[in-house]
Amino acid sequence: MQSSIYEKTIEALAEGGIESPRLEARLLIADALGVDVNQMPITPMGDDNVQETLERHIEKRLEGMPIDKILGHREFYKNDFFVSRDVLSPRPDTEILVEEALKIIEANGSKRVLDLGVGSGCILLSLLAEVKDLEGVGVDASSKALAVAQKNAKKLKLTKRVKLLEKNWFDNGFVGVFEKPFDIIVSNPPYIKTADIEKLDIGVKKYDPILALDGGEDGLDSYRKIAEFAPFLLFDDGYLLLEVGRRQSRAVKEIFTDKGLVHLGTVKDLAGIERVLIFKK
Ligand code: GLN
């Protein structure tokens, strides 16, 4: 008996060293069939087009392309986000930043939030989706990333409460772009040391944009820059929440406390790494 599409896909993925071949086979087949993964037939059948799409998917996966970049979307916090090679794929670690920001927003009745390096929009849009009277501004130096964020805003019906701006925080006059200060600033800036980028997994170094990864020689360039202007973009008593990389929390804390911000806390991720720093003006 000829083996099914499902079995063949699992086999191809397993042979290629994919860790969860069953799950990924289901996701890739459902996508090729154009159906929801939960509504996939037990014995999926496909015409030549489906076969061809599936083969392309498998080929990309075996070349190291992350599954979300193949499918074009990914779950983050409580929603599904479009992703592409123009944005950093949302990571589970970053959900911690969202959770901490929500606690602060809810406790303080914050109304205006700024996301520096908005990318896919996963942080900013997750906050706006949870808090109905919150307004957000998302900044990114990449127009292509902003196009993805805009698509996500539309999908989540949040376009009325979000403004997306193409700006680079390293440019002079960056602060002057904003009409009013913010109650809270969130950011997951690029924080990988330039020399470490080549050591990252292929799925990251080849398929996530370098702009979202490269933090300069010591990985801290964006933090130093943000620390220069963040106090001017916050209302008094405003909050700043930052994601940081492995072993960066102490240095980043110092960069921001040197500029007069008060360190309120540090939150670890699921792996026990200090991942989110919380400051108050
Ligand atoms: N978390 C990403 C990684 O280590 C890096 C993201 C960033 O630089 N902000 O793959």
Side-chain angles (χ1 to χ4, degrees), residues 150-224:
Q150 178 62 26
K151 234 171 106 179
N152 282 320
K154 215 166 155 188
K155 180 176 176 187
L156 298 173
K157 301 195 166 49
L158 293 168
T159 49
K160 288 208 179 98
R161 289 193 281 131
V162 69
K163 209 159 132 183
L164 298 169
L165 299 174
E166 186 184 342
K167 293 286 164 202
N168 188 328
W169 55 68
F170 288 106
D171 289 347
N172 290 331
F174 178 73
V175 174
V177 163
F178 304 94
E179 293 154 11
K180 273 204 301 187
F182 295 87
D183 300 301
I184 176 162
I185 298 176
V186 292
S187 184
N188 174 18
Y191 55 61
I192 309 290
K193 290 180 189 170
T194 306
D196 286 347
I197 288 176
E198 62 180 68
K199 300 182 213 155
L200 296 173
D201 284 349
I202 184 171
V204 178
K205 71 178 170 198
K206 187 161 170 213
Y207 298 96
D208 277 330
I210 187 84
L211 185 67
L213 297 171
D214 191 349
E217 196 177 339
D218 66 354
L220 305 177
D221 281 0
S222 281
Y223 298 109
R224 278 187 289 268

Side-chain angles (χ1 to χ4, degrees), residues 21-67:
R22 286 178 176 275
L23 170 66
E24 294 204 3
R26 282 172 59 77
L27 293 169
L28 294 176
I29 295 167
D31 186 78
L33 286 169
V35 300
D36 189 280
V37 71
N38 298 314
Q39 270 140 34
M40 209 170 54
I42 293 170
T43 315
M45 310 271 269
D47 58 18
D48 286 354
N49 268 337
V50 170
Q51 281 289 355
E52 222 172 274
T53 306
L54 183 59
E55 274 162 32
R56 262 203 323 270
H57 280 352
I58 294 169
E59 199 179 313
K60 285 184 187 162
R61 187 67 189 104
L62 297 183
E63 282 167 9
M65 188 163 184
I67 189 125

Side-chain angles (χ1 to χ4, degrees), residues 96 100 244 249-250 253 263-269 273-279:
I96 294 162
E100 294 302 320
V244 297
S249 71
R250 199 192 307 169
K253 183 173 145 188
H263 175 246
L264 292 187
T266 301
V267 185
K268 290 182 179 166
D269 67 16
I273 294 164
E274 295 191 341
R275 184 61 72 187
V276 174
L277 295 182
I278 306 171
F279 299 94

